[in-house]
Amino acid sequence: MSFELIVDLAKVAFLIGAVLAVVPFLTLAERKGCAWLQDRMGPSRVGMLGIGKRFGLGQPLADGIKLIFKEDTVPAGADVFLFTLAPILVLLPALATLIVVPLGCDIDLLGHRVQLQGADLNIGILWFLALGAFSVYGLALGGWASNNKFSLMGGIRSTAQLISYEIALGLGIVGVALTTGSLSPREIVAAQGGSLFGVPGLHWNLFTQPVGFLVFLVACFAENNRLPFDLPEAEPELVGGYHTEYSGMRFGLFMMAENAEMILLSALIVTLYLGGWMIPGVDPASLGTGWLAGLMTAGCFATKVAALLAFFILVRWSLPRFRYDHLMTLGWKGLIPLGLVNCLLAAVVAVW
Amino acid sequence: MALIRTQSTRFERFLDALYIPALLRGFRVTTSHLFRRRFTQDYPEEKRTLPVGYRGKHKLNLDAHEHVKCVACYLCGTACPADAILIESAPCPPGWEGRDRYPSKFEIDTMKCIYCGFCEEACPVDAIVLTDAVPDVLEKRGQFVRDREDLVRQPPASWKR
C-alpha cells in the first residue's frame, strides 16, 4: 500500500470517527445548554467511569444504549424498504460531505506533504450542494413510508422548505465563489488569508460580504430543520413530523443525522465566511508546514466550529417557530432577493 | 382600561420587518439567563430547607424512665382520618411506676397516612409527634408499615421539634 492511500484512509476514518464521536456529546451539550438557558440543571445523574457525573458525561452513552435496546416498531401498512432506507439516506450525506472541508494548513509528514483535508475536490462546494440535497429524499421518504398523515405532512413540509432554502443557500455560496473565482473550499480558505484593517489572516468573507453571510446562515438553519425553522417536525402541530413513527435506533439515526448535519453546516459556514483555519493576526505564509502549525490551525478551526455550534443551540432555545407562510415569505421574498443583490455586488467587485 | 394606541414610525416598522433588532433583544434575554441562579434543587445531594410546621416522619416519644410514653388510649387512632394507626393495649409490665397500660403493638401504615397531624393533636400525653424528617422511599409495600420499635428508634430522639 502506498503512503498516499494509507493517509487517505486514515483521514476518512478520522473524519467519520470524529463526527460520530462528537455527535453524542452534541446532544448532551444541547440538553445542558437548554437547561442552563432555562435556569435548570440538565442531565446530572450519569457519569463516565466515575467522573463528570455533575455534567452528565455518561448521558450520551446511556441514551445510546436505551435507543439500541428499545423495540424497533414498524407501523402496519408501512413500506418497510423505504422506511429503513430513509434514516440512512439522511445520515450518509451528512457524513460524506465533510471530506471537502479543509481542517488546517498543509503539513510535512515523514517527508510527504499532507493536506489536512479529506479530499481536495476542485468542485467541493458543488459536492456539498449535490449531497446536501439528498437529505430531502430521506425526510420525504421517511414521511411517505410511515403510512401516517402527520408524517406525510412533515415530509411534504420538509420538501417545500428545503428546496426553497436551497436557493438561498446556493446564492450565499455564489457570492463567495464569484469573489474567490473558485469552487474549491481549499482556494476559498486560502483567499481569506489576506490582511484586513491591518490584521493579517482576517480577510474573512464575513467582513467583505456581511449580507451574503446572513443569507447563508439563515439558509443553513433552515436546511438543518432546526428551530426557528423546524416545521417538518413541529411537535405541537405534527406530533413529530416525518419521524413520528420511528423508534429505537432508526429514530436515533435521524437524530444523529440532524446533529452531524449541524456540525457539517457549521464547518461550511466557517470555511466559506469565517476564514476556515486562518488564525486572526497570523500571516498564513509564515506558518510553514510543521506539525505544530497544523495542530494550531486545526485547533483554530475546531474553536470556530464549536462557537458556531453554541450559537446554533442558543438560537434554538431563544426563538419561537415560524408560521409556515412566514417561512416561505422570508425565504422567497427576503433571503433570495438579498442573496441576488449580494451576488450582483460580488460580481461587480469581482469584475472591477 | 383605556386602549392606548402607539404610533410607530416608518423606521420602526422597517426595523420590525428586518427581524434583526428583535432577534438580538431575544438573545440578550436568553444569554442573561445563562448566568442566573438555577432554580432546580439537586434533591438527594442537596437537602431542602423545610418550612416551619412541616409534617414528616412520625416518632414515639419516651418518658423519663425510657419507656414508651403512650398510654394506649386509642385517641390518635380514633382521630386518624385515614385509619392508619393500629394499637393493641396491654397492662404494663411490672416495674413501670405510675403507669397502667401501654401499647403492646403500635403500627402506623405510612402508605395510608396523609400526614395531617391529627394524631399529634389528639394525643393527651404528647407521645406521638410528627418530625420534619422526610418520609422514606422504600421498595416493598410491607416496609411502609412502621412498628413500635421503629417509631421509637427513628428518627432519633434528638429529632424533636
Side-chain angles (χ1 to χ4, degrees), chain A residues 32-280:
Chain A
K32 266 297 190 193
C34 150
W36 285 333
L37 286 173
Q38 297 171 353
D39 303 334
R40 295 187 287 116
M41 289 188 57
S44 63
R45 292 293 119 188
V46 201
M48 195 178 262
L49 303 175
I51 55 160
K53 188 181 162 216
R54 308 305 296 151
F55 289 94
L57 214 55
Q59 194 65 45
L61 197 67
D63 288 346
I65 292 171
K66 187 198 84 174
L67 279 177
I68 288 170
F69 284 103
K70 263 183 103 164
E71 187 187 356
D72 185 17
T73 51
V74 178
D79 186 328
V80 180
F81 177 68
L82 292 182
F83 192 72
T84 315
L85 188 67
I88 300 171
L89 266 188
V90 187
L91 181 60
L92 267 188
L95 290 178
T97 316
L98 208 64
I99 64 161
V100 297
V101 176
L103 304 177
C105 64
D106 293 355
I107 57 169
D108 281 325
L109 192 68
L110 306 173
H112 292 262
R113 181 63 56 89
V114 176
Q115 300 171 348
L116 292 184
Q117 182 182 13
D120 181 19
L121 292 181
N122 55 359
I123 49 152
I125 297 298
L126 290 185
W127 167 258
F128 155 67
L129 281 178
L131 280 186
F134 241 93
S135 62
V136 186
Y137 283 98
L139 303 190
L141 284 180
W144 172 257
S146 297
N147 191 27
N148 174 327
K149 56 179 176 275
F150 292 117
S151 298
L152 185 58
M153 287 286 287
I156 291 169
R157 277 187 180 194
S158 78
T159 315
Q161 175 183 329
L162 292 194
I163 289 176
S164 302
Y165 277 77
E166 202 114 298
I167 304 170
L169 196 74
L171 286 175
I173 291 172
V174 168
V176 171
L178 275 174
T179 48
T180 312
S182 169
L183 280 174
S184 151
R186 196 180 161 74
E187 302 269 315
I188 290 173
V189 171
Q192 296 179 71
S195 59
L196 190 73
F197 313 128
V199 183
L202 200 65
H203 197 270
W204 298 356
N205 289 328
L206 164 65
F207 302 119
T208 52
Q209 302 182 31
V211 177
F213 172 72
L214 215 60
V215 170
F216 190 71
L217 186 72
V218 176
C220 275
F221 274 95
E223 282 293 300
N224 196 207
N225 290 328
R226 275 179 76 82
L227 272 162
F229 303 113
D230 73 333
L231 287 121
E233 48 191 281
E235 299 92 342
E237 304 154 34
L238 297 180
V239 216
Y242 58 88
H243 55 56
T244 305
E245 296 291 352
Y246 280 86
S247 61
M249 208 51 212
R250 285 186 228 227
F251 173 74
L253 281 183
F254 269 126
M255 284 293 104
M256 270 165 73
E258 190 186 318
N259 283 297
E261 211 174 313
M262 206 165 119
I263 296 172
L264 165 72
L265 289 171
S266 300
L268 269 164
I269 295 171
V270 168
T271 304
L272 289 174
Y273 280 97
L274 298 180
W277 46 263
M278 295 292 168
I279 309 172

Side-chain angles (χ1 to χ4, degrees), chain A residues 33 36-42 44-45 53-54 214 311 314-315 317-319 322 326 330, chain B residues 19-20 22-23 26-27 30-31 33-46:
Chain A
W36 285 333
L37 286 173
Q38 297 171 353
D39 303 334
R40 295 187 287 116
M41 289 188 57
S44 63
R45 292 293 119 188
K53 188 181 162 216
R54 308 305 296 151
L214 215 60
F311 179 66
L314 175 69
V315 167
W317 299 107
S318 297
L319 305 181
F322 269 75
H326 286 182
L330 180 70
Chain B
Y19 288 119
I20 293 173
L23 290 186
F27 290 146
T30 42
T31 315
H33 275 270
L34 204 54
F35 304 104
R36 274 192 212 171
R37 228 185 97 256
R38 61 184 156 79
F39 284 114
T40 320
Q41 279 178 328
D42 200 10
Y43 170 58
E45 284 86 4
E46 275 169 39

Side-chain angles (χ1 to χ4, degrees), chain B residues 8 18 52 54 58 63 69 95 132-133 135 140 154:
Chain B
S8 55
L18 266 186
V52 179
Y54 178 84
H58 312 76
D63 63 9
K69 237 180 181 177
D132 58 0
K140 296 216 166 66
Q154 54 148 334

